Structure formats: structure tokens, C-alpha cells
Amino acid sequence: MARYVDPRFAERMRMLRHARGLSLKGLYRIAHVSVSSLSEYETGRRRPSAEMARNLDLALDAGGQLAAMVVETPRTTTADEADEASDRVTHAVSAPRMIDARAVDALAAALAAHRRADDDADPVLLLPAVSAGQVQVQRLAEQARGPHAHALQVVSAEWTQFTGWLHAQARHDAEAVRLLTESADQAVRLGVSNLACQAWGFRGYLERQRGVPARITRAFRTAAEIPGISRLHRVDAMLNTVHGLGLMGEKRQALELLGQADDLTTSAGGDEVDPASYWLTPTWLRIPMGMAYLGLDRASDAVENLRAGLGALPGGWQRAEWAAEYRDALARAEDAA
């Protein structure tokens, strides 16, 4: 299992224990965990498992606070494969100019595992491990030479983008903008159009959280106009631009763009899904379509599309932190319909 522990766990546990007036020995009597282990959890020297977090949560009557701060997700590799991947990454760090294809694949697999965890975990839990990996991979990419250097640089750009996305969700706005801009620039230099589009799309997401319609529109319009992107990426960006234009009161422009997006939607259904944008499928487009209609004050159409799009997501995705804005949008549309 891959384990993600919120860096605030130790402090929260200590505060809860003090609030209950318990010593470490007192907590030991309730939780049946050794005093030395409890001390290590409170100082951060030891990382609790999800089961231990639930146990401590019950003992401290924390109402789920501690349990929610530890997430474990299944690994998709065997122990031998994981060990081999770790060995190859270690070798790559020590000899970056000799990077090979299997080391690049190992790094890409590690990033894919972090992405999957984002569908289940609070982004704050993921940030320490993901940020540390981003720094390491970027350093490798800067030093790498040879036939696999380009592939490694693409993984580095993807890792930078994902780290920026986590910061955007956590509302670390300045760091999110810095990393997403850096990722978009890297993607353009590397000729990976979809990645550049996605980085600007994440910028648009951040601007939605900030509530600035002009910036929402600008970010998604930039994403939609990047040359060479797939039709799925272009339609997604266009629909999100429609939402921004609607919020700005530019209904005529919004309707024209919505018509163009509609024309592309059918043909986009035949596009192959980009592994780096695994969620971006024809079914997913019902969600930005719903957001577009919401921006145009067409509540019934927004409800139909948002409900269909959210309903088609895997169960874990529907409850994910990033899906909250779409759940809220559906609730607003239902109230207005």
C-alpha cells in the first residue's frame, strides 16, 4: 500500500490529547498503543497507518479528524517491481547522464500512482511526497543526456504540473501559478501540446476558485488556442471558456463559442484518451458542458449535463476533493431550475 500522511497529523494528535487532559500514559490505557509509539506519532518521527489513525481517532474521540489525515491506496506493482523501480531511480540519481528507458518508466509509474491517490486523498496529504519527487525529477531532467533525455523531461514537466495542481487545490495560489506556468512553458518547449493545454486548464480551475471571470476566460481561452491539442482537450477548454464568458455577461460570444464546441463534440468522441489526462473522456465533457450552461443561466440544461457527467464518474472520483466544485455547481443549478 502507498501511504500518505497529512503533515499536520502529529500536531493535531497532540492538541487533541491535551484537550482531553490526557498524558501519554493515559492515552496508552485507552488506545492500547505503547507510550514510545505514541510519542513518535506526536513528534512526527513515525508515520501511522490508516488503521492506527482510526484507532487513535476513536481513543481521542476526534470525530474522524485523525482518520481522515491518513490515506492508503493499493500499489499497482509487485514488491519485486517496486524494488526494481526504486533501484533504477536511485541509479538515475547517481548517474543522471546515463538515464535509461526503464528508469524513466519507473518515474512515470510513480507519478501515475500519485495521480490516482489524488482521487481519494486530501491534496495536502500528497504534497510533501509529490513536491519532493518533483524537485528530484526536475534535477534529473536538467542533467540527463542521451536518447531518453526527452522522455524524462516530459515526465518532469508532467510532475511539475501535477504539483501545481495540488497547490491549486490546497489554495496555495502563488506557488500553484508559478508551477503551472513553468509546466506550460516546459510543455511548449518539448512539443507536448496537450500538456501545455492542461496546465492552462488548471490555471483556469484556480481562477474559478478565486472567482475572477475575466481570468477564468483568459486561462481557458489560452488553453483552447494552443496548436496541436486533441479535440477532447480543445472542446473541454472551449466549454470552460463559455462558462467564463457567461459569468462576464458576454452572452453573445459565449453562445457562438458554445456552437463551435458543439460542432467539435461529436468528432471528439473518437479521440484516443491521453494517458496524462486519463479523466478527459467524451463522457467527462458533460461536466464542462454543464458548467457552460450554468454560466449562461440555463439551469435546466446545466442540471441535465452536470448530473450525467458526475453520475458517470467512478464512485471514488465523485467524492474526490476536486469534484466538490462540480457537486456545488449541480446544487446551485438544481436550486435555480
Side-chain angles (χ1 to χ4, degrees), residues 187-267:
V188 169
R189 288 197 302 272
L190 294 166
V192 189
S193 300
N194 287 345
L195 186 61
C197 175
Q198 189 170 298
W200 276 104
F202 288 164
R203 280 286 300 275
Y205 163 89
L206 179 59
E207 299 305 341
R208 271 207 303 260
Q209 311 319 299
R210 289 170 155 178
V212 186
R215 290 181 178 177
I216 296 170
T217 302
R218 184 162 57 249
F220 284 114
R221 178 171 276 157
T222 300
E225 293 175 352
I226 292 173
I229 59 176
S230 75
R231 285 170 295 187
L232 283 171
H233 281 85
R234 195 174 305 281
V235 172
D236 179 70
M238 290 170 70
L239 291 172
N240 279 292
T241 305
V242 171
H243 176 238
L245 287 169
L247 294 178
M248 292 174 65
E250 300 287 350
K251 299 297 175 68
R252 183 183 62 78
Q253 287 187 53
L255 288 169
E256 287 179 1
L257 191 58
L258 180 61
Q260 295 172 29
D262 276 339
D263 290 342
L264 277 176
T265 299
T266 302
S267 60

Side-chain angles (χ1 to χ4, degrees), residues 92-157:
V93 171
S94 64
R97 293 178 181 271
M98 301 296 291
I99 194 83
D100 63 16
R102 297 182 73 178
V104 175
D105 290 343
L107 291 168
L111 176 57
H114 289 316
R115 282 179 173 144
R116 287 190 295 273
D118 182 40
D119 296 324
D120 300 305
D122 185 324
V124 174
L125 272 70
L126 307 184
L127 268 170
V130 172
S131 296
Q134 186 265 330
V135 171
Q136 185 180 62
V137 173
Q138 185 174 50
R139 187 179 300 122
L140 276 173
E142 289 169 351
Q143 299 178 58
R145 300 291 184 273
H148 304 290
H150 182 271
L152 177 60
Q153 289 159 4
V154 172
V155 172
S156 176

Side-chain angles (χ1 to χ4, degrees), residues 12 26 42 73 90 110 121 176 186 209 214 216 228 251 259 280 291 318 330:
R12 184 68 55 82
E42 285 197 359
T73 59
T90 300
Q186 290 172 338
Q209 311 319 299
I216 296 170
K251 299 297 175 68
L280 186 51
M291 296 296 287
Q318 293 175 19
L330 175 57

